[in-house]
Amino acid sequence: MANLGKLNVLMCGTGEYTTGWTGSGASKSDKKIGVVGLTMFDLRRLGKIGNLGMVGVNGSKFPAIRQHLQENIGSVYKDMDTSFEEFPKGGKVDPEAYKEAIDNMSPGDAVIIFTPDNTHYPISLYAIKRGIHVLVTKPATQLLSDHNELIEAARKHNVVCFVEHHKRFDPVYSDAKARAQALGEFNFFNAWMSQPKSQLETFKAWAGKDSDISYYLSSHHIDICCWILQDKAVPTRVVASAATGIATGEPYNCVPQTEDTITLLVDWQSLNSPRHKGTAVYTASWTAPLTAGVHSAQHWYYMGEKGDINVDQAHRGYDITVDETGKTWYNPFYMKYSPSESGHFDGQRGYGYISIEKFVDAACKVNAGTAKPSDYDTHGYPTIANTVLTTAILNAGRISLDEKRPVGIKKSGDRWLLE
């Protein structure tokens, strides 16, 4: 077997998903100690990761972040080293600190990007042009044209570029995707995903200004629908509608253009049968109740020609009731934070962890010459090429809201375009 070597990784973004730390302290969500940083520290312990860096905008946050990581990860799990090189250094504030951090890297290294939606494209492109492998959180980009540019850049520079659509690695979702192939032509898909109103505080810096709840949450289930329908059907038309009034009022006071709940209605056309057309409804909200017992309410329904599928990801038949807080549904299939019997981190089987590890393995195999980046386009992975229709639908939805009109999706040569 080829010696894959260790991967040097830069974590871009210092927020909830990377560290579990927010500006006001530890996150109150289900990601209290984060996902990316914890996974990187554990993969380094297991010998897959070499040097680790982390870049944000405000360097003065790092002492509090380091203390948080040591108290909640380093002191909790056996043999867990939480050290990393920080950027910007010296407590500086620099929105372009990612450039200095990436310039210190070598071709074949990797970046993992969990930053505000409007920064995904410039950071990804900057890394790709320098021969750096990229894992970027969803949505990959906000504009379809930018997504197309990343596809071309990744091919030109021969690097792995994945979008972190971790729900593809949920065993229920992946099994449902496989079973949907036996249900004939697509007819109807309905998805709901929401988070509690408290998230408006977590995301206040960018909510409604730099992105919306559809980009942030609906991207998950739009990608699952596109994955199920890959090579079976294509989206052709998007109409969007939004509810407003909660996010912009007390106590959240988000900017006036912030939507509470966004629904996209999408027409799909079969690639195999001209008479078969399907419809899909994707709804996302960040104004759900605070005490619903789940951080993310999420479920979807798929109906095909010969049967249907119903998935409730929020309620897995596992709930815990505590006097002070009531009933809570947990999802250890995503991230298992309780230690193993030996005291080590024990979440390697969670699909939040697996999603990141799959990217690390792919980058290492490409570096070792045992795989090509294009190989992963055919493996069902969320590569930048395989996720283009997710961005097309999200971008069309934003245009539909802003311009109050339907938006068409079509293919011209090798590129998907909006009209």
Side-chain angles (χ1 to χ4, degrees), residues 45-118:
R45 178 181 71 87
L46 297 175
K48 288 190 175 186
I49 298 296
N51 298 327
L52 271 180
M54 188 184 299
V55 59
V57 171
N58 187 347
S60 68
K61 293 180 180 179
F62 281 116
I65 290 172
R66 290 184 187 278
Q67 181 181 354
H68 162 77
L69 294 174
Q70 180 55 39
E71 289 177 355
N72 296 288
I73 296 177
S75 299
V76 172
Y77 303 109
K78 187 177 178 182
D79 302 326
M80 192 71 95
D81 171 18
T82 62
S83 64
F84 59 88
E85 184 176 6
E86 68 183 55
F87 301 90
K89 298 179 185 297
K92 292 191 299 183
V93 175
D94 182 5
E96 295 194 333
Y98 70 87
K99 292 183 178 179
E100 177 194 358
I102 292 172
D103 288 344
N104 281 341
M105 304 180 80
S106 302
D109 291 347
V111 297
I112 299 179
I113 302 168
F114 277 81
T115 57
D117 294 352
N118 62 318

Side-chain angles (χ1 to χ4, degrees), residues 220-284:
H220 280 301
H221 286 131
I222 291 172
D223 176 70
I224 292 299
C225 186
C226 290
W227 185 39
I228 291 172
L229 297 178
Q230 188 170 340
D231 301 324
K232 291 181 62 176
V234 293
T236 58
R237 181 176 179 267
V238 180
V239 179
S241 179
T244 61
I246 298 175
T248 54
E250 294 287 347
Y252 309 106
N253 299 313
C254 293
V255 293
Q257 65 268 31
T258 309
E259 298 95 354
D260 299 337
T261 305
I262 295 176
T263 297
L264 308 185
L265 174 64
V266 182
D267 295 342
W268 286 78
Q269 173 61 57
S270 169
L271 293 173
N272 302 310
S273 170
R275 65 189 177 87
H276 280 97
K277 293 178 171 60
T279 55
V281 182
Y282 313 106
T283 301

Side-chain angles (χ1 to χ4, degrees), residues 87-205:
F87 301 90
K89 298 179 185 297
K92 292 191 299 183
V93 175
D94 182 5
E96 295 194 333
Y98 70 87
K99 292 183 178 179
E100 177 194 358
I102 292 172
D103 288 344
N104 281 341
M105 304 180 80
S106 302
D109 291 347
V111 297
I112 299 179
I113 302 168
F114 277 81
T115 57
D117 294 352
N118 62 318
T119 65
H120 296 173
Y121 170 69
I123 299 174
S124 297
L125 188 63
Y126 194 86
I128 289 170
K129 285 184 173 180
R130 285 153 183 79
I132 307 294
H133 303 296
V134 170
L135 174 64
V136 59
T137 187
K138 50 71 200 165
T141 65
Q142 292 175 307
L143 301 178
L144 177 58
S145 56
D146 288 347
H147 195 121
N148 284 326
E149 291 300 319
L150 291 184
I151 293 172
E152 293 175 4
R155 285 174 179 163
K156 177 180 177 181
H157 295 280
N158 199 42
V159 297
V160 173
C161 184
F162 282 11
V163 186
E164 206 277 322
H165 283 296
H166 52 255
K167 294 189 188 300
R168 290 198 184 200
F169 302 99
D170 180 332
V172 172
Y173 281 35
S174 60
D175 187 68
K177 190 262 186 187
R179 293 179 187 275
Q181 307 310 305
L183 299 182
E185 291 290 342
F186 167 63
N187 194 268
F188 178 69
F189 186 95
N190 183 41
W192 163 259
M193 191 164 182
S194 70
Q195 290 188 347
K197 292 184 280 284
S198 56
Q199 288 295 86
L200 291 170
E201 295 289 345
T202 302
F203 302 136
K204 195 168 187 176

